[in-house]
Amino acid sequence: MRIAFLTAPEGVEQIELTDPWQAAKNAGHEPVLVSTKPGRVQAFDHLDKADTFSVDAVVGEAPAESFDALVLPGGVANPDFLRMDERTVPFVREFFERGRPVAAICHAPWTLIEADVVRGRVLTSWPSLRTDIRNAGGTWVDEQVRICDHGPNKLVTSRRPDDLKAFCEAFLDVFSQEAA
């Protein structure tokens, strides 16, 4: 599968990008780093700057239809920036409209809320998003990983970096089922 890993130019939690990226690569998928601007993405280790990563594709230039799945890493600033970008929100929404699987961890559901795709869905996230998800019509649960198929696609969500192993296993399983 060709998987879009969508991040803002800065603010992504590095481990929430690199661990799923490596897991996808190890499973034989093609991860593609998509951002709102060309160049490099500045990752963070919580609040400290970490490494930078080369952008492979830019939202608005690479259509959602050219990808088989979407991964949304977290970090507080990352999804907050993405949900304010006028090209990003429709890009994310299109994965749901096309029935393509989506995986989101930590604060990433903020972007899903802005895309209006959590209504009627059951998901988990960093606990501070609980009220935002409920206000957007979703059901929030405190679970390591949640797979929701109550909608046009499968949605895999997870809470935090400590849940990365389970998150990677779950989204790879779901993505593999969708690819079959």
Side-chain angles (χ1 to χ4, degrees):
M1 294 183 91
R2 188 166 190 249
I3 304 170
F5 278 73
L6 179 61
T7 73
E10 73 174 355
V12 66
E13 185 70 30
Q14 182 162 315
I15 196 165
E16 293 176 4
L17 170 63
T18 58
D19 278 17
W21 180 282
Q22 193 60 52
K25 204 169 182 178
N26 290 348
H29 300 293
E30 177 191 354
V32 179
L33 185 57
V34 180
S35 191
T36 58
K37 296 179 181 175
R40 298 189 70 79
V41 166
Q42 175 65 63
F44 280 74
D45 180 9
H46 192 53
L47 298 175
D48 298 321
K49 283 187 177 182
D51 298 324
T52 63
F53 300 91
S54 293
V55 172
D56 299 316
V58 177
V59 174
E61 296 172 12
E65 66 193 32
S66 68
F67 299 100
D68 302 304
L70 173 65
V71 173
L72 296 168
V76 178
N78 178 53
D80 195 48
F81 179 89
L82 291 176
R83 68 184 176 162
M84 298 301 295
D85 184 81
E86 64 186 29
R87 295 170 304 158
T88 298
V89 173
F91 178 83
V92 169
R93 188 180 307 117
E94 191 170 338
F95 282 87
F96 288 79
E97 292 169 352
R98 291 182 175 277
R100 305 253 167 96
V102 173
I105 187 167
C106 202
H107 287 80
W110 267 340
T111 308
L112 301 178
I113 290 166
E114 192 66 32
D116 195 24
V117 295
V118 302
R119 190 174 318 284
R121 305 303 293 261
V122 179
L123 59 156
T124 192
S125 68
W126 185 257
S128 66
L129 276 67
R130 173 180 47 238
T131 301
D132 299 330
I133 289 167
R134 288 180 182 150
N135 288 342
T139 300
W140 185 84
V141 293
D142 185 11
E143 297 174 6
Q144 191 176 38
V145 175
R146 182 59 177 226
I147 300 170
C148 179
D149 58 5
H150 303 297
N153 68 336
K154 288 194 177 174
L155 174 61
V156 180
T157 53
S158 196
R159 300 175 300 193
R160 59 179 57 101
D162 289 346
D163 299 333
L164 274 165
K165 184 177 185 307
F167 176 66
C168 292
E169 290 172 0
F171 88 74
L172 287 174
D173 184 52
V174 166
F175 288 12
S176 294
Q177 289 174 22
E178 295 296 310

